[in-house]
Amino acid sequence: MFRTSRGALRRAAVVAAAAVAALTACQPEDLPADDVPASAVPGASATASPSASQPAAPGGRRSLVDAAEAGGLRKHTGDGAVGDVPVDPGEMRDGMRLVVSHFAAPDGGDPVLFEGVDNVPEDTNKRREHLFRGMLEYIDWDPELGQPQARPVADPGPLGGSVECLMASLAENGQVVCGWADESTAAVALFPDSTLDEAGKLFVAMRGDLER
């Protein structure tokens, strides 16, 4: 199961919220770089994973951008902006950046929630899996319904790496979570009313504006 303690997530969110305000990460003491520490996933199984991807293909170290637009969607500001960190990003270490935003079409509609980190010192696939688990927790996915299986997006775009999406709904249309992982970054986004194909294509387009 990927259910985590809401109290623990709230505590993690308070710490991470400061990182969003400055668009830089917290700087805890150095930890082993070959794995995400257990404290990064309160109450979650270290072996559980919604993603079955291969390691991301090398493509050069990149950074995230706090973009005003992504894939033709506009970043929400003011009342529509993300006010805290809804998904536990995992352990934030020296030099890492956390980016959290809502994006929506100019004519309105439900916003897409984006959350990502860069300068990840461990396997970025593991960090993406952590973000996948956090997003499922955020939408209150019931583990008794089964664990959504992440599927590779056929065309990850020019930035390479690995891009996957999972359907967090019992219908063909519904909530879709997509994530990418490459040499140095990992990110996820929640598409509230979409299909795997539509969300995957839009996520790849958004990535072109959110990663440099």
Side-chain angles (χ1 to χ4, degrees), residues 19-109:
V20 177
L23 289 178
T24 54
C26 304
Q27 299 180 0
E29 63 185 20
D30 291 338
L31 294 168
D34 59 349
D35 201 357
V36 178
S39 61
V41 194
S45 168
T47 60
S49 168
S51 169
S53 68
Q54 297 299 314
R61 298 189 67 82
R62 303 189 184 97
S63 299
L64 295 184
V65 177
D66 186 29
E69 294 190 10
L73 305 182
R74 294 179 182 173
K75 177 182 175 180
H76 275 192
T77 58
D79 293 339
V82 179
D84 58 7
V85 181
V87 175
D88 174 16
E91 191 75 19
M92 297 300 296
R93 306 177 192 176
D94 188 20
M96 292 178 66
R97 177 188 298 264
L98 171 66
V99 175
V100 185
S101 298
H102 270 148
F103 291 95
D107 58 355

Side-chain angles (χ1 to χ4, degrees), residues 58-63 118-121 124 182-185 211-212:
R61 298 189 67 82
R62 303 189 184 97
S63 299
D118 64 12
N119 293 312
V120 178
T124 55
D182 56 28
E183 186 173 329
S184 58
T185 72
E211 186 178 13
R212 291 287 184 269

Side-chain angles (χ1 to χ4, degrees), residues 131-142:
L131 291 166
F132 268 140
R133 292 195 295 269
M135 194 67 82
L136 291 175
E137 172 73 18
Y138 170 70
I139 65 174
D140 292 322
W141 176 259
D142 185 351

Side-chain angles (χ1 to χ4, degrees), residues 5-29:
S5 165
R6 290 196 175 279
L9 283 177
R10 282 194 295 269
R11 290 193 295 272
V14 170
V15 175
V20 177
L23 289 178
T24 54
C26 304
Q27 299 180 0
E29 63 185 20

